[in-house]
Amino acid sequence: MQQWTEDLISVESAGTLDGLFVQRVKRSGENEAYRYFDRATGDWNSYTWGEMGELVSRWQAALAGEGLRPGDRVALLLRNCPEWVVFDQACMGLGLVVVPLYTDDRPENIAYILEDSAVKLLLVQDAGRWKKLAPSIDGEGALKRVLVLEPANGATGLQEDPRVRSVGEWLPAQGKELVQRKGDPHELASIVYTSGTTGRPKGVMLSHYNMLSVAHAALTVLDVYTEDLFLSFLPLSHTLERTAGYYIPLMTGSKVAYARSIAQLADDLQHVRPTILIAVPRIFEKVYGKVKDQISKRPAIARWLFNTAVNVGWHRFLRQQGRAGWHPKLIFWPLLNKLVASKISAKLGGKVRAAVSGGAPLSPEIAQVFIGLDIPILQGYGLTETSPVISVNSLEKNQPASVGFKLRGIEVRIGENDELQVKSPGVMLGYWNNHAATKQMIDSDGWLHTGDQAKIVDDHIYITGRIKDILVLSNGEKVPPGDMEMAIVLNPLIEQVMVVGEGRPYLTALVVLAGDFWPGLAQECGLDPMSPQSLNDPKVLSSVMRHINDALRDFPGYAKIRRVTLLLEPWSVDNGLLTPTMKVKRAKVLERHQQQIDAMYDGGPAANGRR
């Protein structure tokens, strides 16, 4: 039997986020803290908490020579790794304000953030990344030092800029003893820039107490133990991963393993075998899409077994939750678990006891499949502006269609237009250099306006829509596109979709086809997948429409897509159509594809179906 041990550090004992780290090093010095893949040797290695403390002290000694003062802003552009934690802790231990950046963000966006927050020191992953970024940086700006963690690739270019130094040369051989400073918990700890689906990103100012209080409150819903192992793959620049996948393990003394990449996630799950996952719905959608595709190609008996396992497993879950009684079909669960559920669970490492999904809505269909296969998904909800968690389901009270119940110490209410409004210890200090935006977000009574429509049933919060994302058709009918899009992308053929119809007589859709599946569909229709004209062929359009109609079969009458435009180029951060947190910039997509959209309403080449 697995032994579970609690070693929780309180908010009061920690004081600040760097205080939390010092406390953990003192308590758990010999215990494993972080596991990572060494690309040079091809092996997985790890650091103990004591070794992490020594690294932080060395970085602090080097930072002390840079002329930085408490309150100065410093930034990091790193993939998830132990050095991310080391830099974060070393800087906060000196009273500096950390600005995390997304590694796949566009150079001009990063340059804007560095300028807006007047960053004085920047840590980047490698020389190649700095070379891409450097032309966008104002040489006369606040930035005075650039540290390169991995200078090997393109190191010759580093000498051209006196601001740039290799971390290996910059770090001293040892630092001073790591001590806990007496910092103010309510002082600014970090500025996290929201991804901004419209306009420039805004800098969310979060204090030490903001993030500490939310991390601690989350632990009243989900117990986390020293034996737990997290697999970290969401960017640490994303507040969900930072609070739930970094500060919570720090608070509980749990271990964290850093995934090599999203592309290698399946292998890393098998190797690391985590007990807790922090993920966004897209991860579960990808796994579900692959499983669904594989099952569709299996014999009828295999498909029947899979569906039966989900059905019986779901009833088993409802019974465990006290929402269903015993049924004779439950007798078959041990066999179905052995033949089906355990094999799906093994793809996630076989040890996951809780998978938290946040950042975007999770499809109820996906939740039911995974939970039915004994993989407990807990959907939660929050905003960067609330550090970020507002609510989450628990293992004992899990309503998968909801985003759970509010954390301890948080107040929620339903305001005008059914908007969810929040008061929380995690509510930001405000937006950096943007008082007007702060006043729009937080009213004079201290209620933060989420912009999301919601209802509360039996203490569980259900998000029902987004106030700004409602499409109003020309006949006055109001259509929330989010749920429709979520249902459509469950089909493995479809990578991305946007439902269109604002001010129009009917709904249409822009559909990005999955590159892995498009050649097969084209060949089935007797077409050349390399020819752009194949995307407009009536046989292909009709096939995709059938898939969409099937996905929307249980939706109300308003959810009818009349025409589609098929695309192959994905919407990405690089082409400016996705934010770094993978949210679609709807206005930009509409602008980019305006001609195709007009054609769907004018009877042009993209038109299909009936008016």
Side-chain angles (χ1 to χ4, degrees):
M1 289 288 291
Q2 172 73 60
Q3 295 295 313
W4 300 105
T5 309
E6 286 189 340
D7 185 18
L8 183 64
I9 296 174
S10 69
V11 175
E12 294 73 25
S13 176
T16 58
L17 290 164
D18 50 293
L20 176 66
F21 179 79
V22 173
Q23 289 285 323
R24 179 52 61 200
V25 170
K26 286 181 179 178
R27 284 199 194 189
S28 311
E30 299 301 315
N31 295 350
E32 182 184 10
Y34 296 100
R35 198 177 299 176
Y36 65 98
F37 185 80
D38 189 329
R39 287 170 168 78
T41 64
D43 295 324
W44 286 85
N45 295 327
S46 63
Y47 287 112
T48 64
W49 288 110
E51 289 169 337
M52 289 292 291
E54 291 172 7
L55 280 171
V56 168
S57 70
R58 288 174 61 196
W59 279 72
Q60 284 186 343
L63 286 164
E66 290 294 339
L68 298 166
R69 297 182 177 184
D72 283 347
R73 275 75 62 203
V74 294
L76 71 169
L77 186 64
L78 293 185
R79 61 174 173 262
N80 292 13
C81 59
E83 287 81 7
W84 209 106
V85 174
V86 169
F87 182 81
D88 187 50
Q89 291 296 335
C91 292
M92 287 193 296
L94 297 173
L96 302 173
V97 176
V98 178
V99 181
L101 303 167
Y102 285 93
T103 56
D104 56 357
D105 204 353
R106 301 203 301 176
E108 59 268 28
N109 212 41
I110 292 172
Y112 169 79
I113 292 171
L114 295 176
E115 181 181 352
D116 186 62
S117 55
V119 162
K120 291 188 175 181
L121 181 145
L122 169 67
L123 171 64
V124 297
Q125 188 77 47
D126 52 53
R129 194 150 308 194
W130 168 245
K131 280 188 172 183
K132 290 180 182 177
L133 180 59
S136 302
I137 304 294
D138 180 5
E140 303 300 318
L143 186 64
K144 302 303 180 188
R145 173 67 69 212
V146 177
L147 301 172
V148 179
L149 186 62
E150 300 168 4
N153 296 324
T156 53
L158 299 184
Q159 292 87 10
E160 299 170 5
D161 190 331
R163 297 176 297 177
V164 182
R165 291 194 64 182
S166 162
V167 167
E169 299 170 351
W170 176 77
L171 272 183
Q174 61 183 34
K176 299 179 181 179
E177 182 184 358
L178 196 64
V179 296
Q180 185 169 353
R181 69 187 177 103
K182 295 181 180 179
D184 178 3
H186 297 284
E187 72 185 6
L188 180 60
S190 188
I191 303 174
V192 183
Y193 278 78
T194 60
S195 44
T197 55
T198 59
R200 288 291 196 180
K202 298 189 288 287
V204 176
M205 297 189 292
L206 299 177
S207 71
H208 293 266
Y209 183 72
N210 283 154
M211 291 184 273
L212 279 170
S213 64
V214 169
H216 193 269
L219 291 170
T220 65
V221 177
L222 177 66
D223 291 327
V224 178
Y225 306 98
T226 57
E227 293 82 8
D228 272 314
L229 174 58
F230 289 68
L231 181 62
S232 175
F233 53 88
L234 293 184
L236 276 164
S237 43
H238 193 300
T239 320
L240 174 60
E241 180 64 26
R242 191 171 175 190
T243 296
Y246 165 18
Y247 294 141
I248 282 179
L250 190 54
M251 192 170 272
T252 56
S254 309
K255 298 177 286 291
V256 177
Y258 292 111
R260 290 171 290 173
S261 68
I262 292 296
Q264 296 166 295
L265 183 58
D267 291 337
D268 288 350
L269 283 163
Q270 300 279 315
H271 180 87
V272 172
R273 305 187 72 197
T275 59
I276 295 181
L277 290 177
I278 309 296
V280 291
R282 193 62 183 144
I283 299 297
F284 299 113
E285 289 169 3
K286 289 279 190 183
V287 175
Y288 174 75
K290 288 182 179 179
V291 170
K292 191 175 180 181
D293 181 57
Q294 291 168 1
I295 292 296
S296 69
K297 297 172 183 175
R298 300 287 301 278
I301 184 64
R303 297 196 298 273
W304 178 85
L305 268 176
F306 179 83
N307 292 331
T308 302
V310 170
N311 176 273
V312 174
W314 179 252
H315 190 96
R316 175 175 173 266
F317 161 76
L318 293 177
R319 183 167 184 261
Q320 290 171 336
Q321 295 281 314
R323 302 202 294 272
W326 187 85
H327 190 281
K329 64 185 178 183
L330 294 173
I331 295 172
F332 298 101
W333 173 251
L335 178 62
L336 291 167
N337 182 38
K338 181 179 179 180
L339 294 176
V340 181
S342 63
K343 293 179 180 179
I344 302 298
S345 176
K347 293 181 182 296
L348 300 178
K351 287 191 171 184
V352 174
R353 67 178 189 85
V356 179
S357 177
L362 176 69
S363 161
E365 180 182 345
I366 288 183
Q368 186 165 337
V369 167
F370 279 99
I371 290 172
L373 297 173
D374 204 26
I375 298 167
I377 293 184
L378 305 173
Q379 184 170 201
Y381 168 80
L383 309 171
T384 303
E385 290 85 349
T386 56
S387 304
V389 188
I390 292 171
S391 64
V392 68
N393 280 284
S394 69
L395 291 169
E396 299 77 20
K397 294 171 62 179
N398 187 7
Q399 290 276 7
S402 79
V403 293
F405 43 88
K406 64 185 179 68
L407 298 186
R408 187 183 63 185
I410 292 178
E411 297 178 62
V412 295
R413 73 180 185 185
I414 304 299
E416 190 177 351
N417 292 324
D418 293 331
E419 183 184 38
L420 182 66
Q421 298 173 3
V422 180
K423 279 187 180 180
S424 163
V427 168
M428 65 176 178
L429 303 178
Y431 290 117
W432 176 260
N433 285 339
N434 198 335
H435 182 64
T438 303
K439 285 184 68 176
Q440 280 187 328
M441 192 73 172
I442 305 172
D443 66 28
S444 57
D445 294 324
W447 288 96
L448 181 139
H449 292 242
T450 66
D452 288 312
Q453 294 174 310
K455 62 181 180 180
I456 301 174
V457 181
D458 295 332
D459 293 330
H460 280 72
I461 301 169
Y462 294 78
I463 303 299
T464 58
R466 177 93 185 144
I467 291 174
K468 292 182 180 178
D469 287 347
I470 300 295
L471 298 178
V472 182
L473 301 183
S474 59
N475 62 3
E477 190 165 23
K478 296 179 174 63
V479 178
D483 288 343
M484 295 173 64
E485 293 164 350
M486 190 163 57
I488 292 168
V489 295
L490 292 182
N491 190 304
L493 173 65
I494 297 171
E495 181 71 20
Q496 295 166 312
V497 65
M498 180 187 287
V499 175
V500 179
E502 179 67 28
R504 305 281 195 168
Y506 51 85
L507 297 176
T508 61
L510 298 169
V511 176
V512 179
L513 298 177
D516 293 344
F517 291 91
W518 161 241
L521 175 61
Q523 288 164 9
E524 283 177 18
C525 297
L527 300 167
D528 177 8
M530 302 303 292
S531 171
Q533 294 304 315
S534 296
L535 291 170
N536 295 327
D537 187 276
K539 294 189 292 295
V540 171
L541 292 168
S542 295
S543 178
V544 173
M545 283 296 295
R546 282 196 298 273
H547 285 293
I548 289 176
N549 289 334
D550 185 57
L552 300 177
R553 64 184 181 276
D554 295 329
F555 277 69
Y558 66 74
K560 292 287 184 280
I561 304 294
R562 299 286 186 89
R563 302 182 178 191
V564 294
T565 291
L566 304 183
L567 309 165
L568 288 180
E569 181 189 2
W571 305 324
S572 67
V573 175
D574 287 341
N575 60 26
L577 302 181
L578 277 191
T579 71
T581 53
M582 310 312 286
K583 295 183 177 68
V584 175
K585 295 184 177 181
R586 299 187 75 94
K588 292 287 187 182
V589 172
L590 291 172
E591 181 182 338
R592 177 75 59 90
H593 298 294
Q594 190 62 56
Q595 188 174 349
Q596 292 101 317
I597 292 169
D598 289 341
M600 288 192 287
Y601 292 97
D602 296 338
N608 56 287
R610 298 177 179 175
R611 290 204 176 208

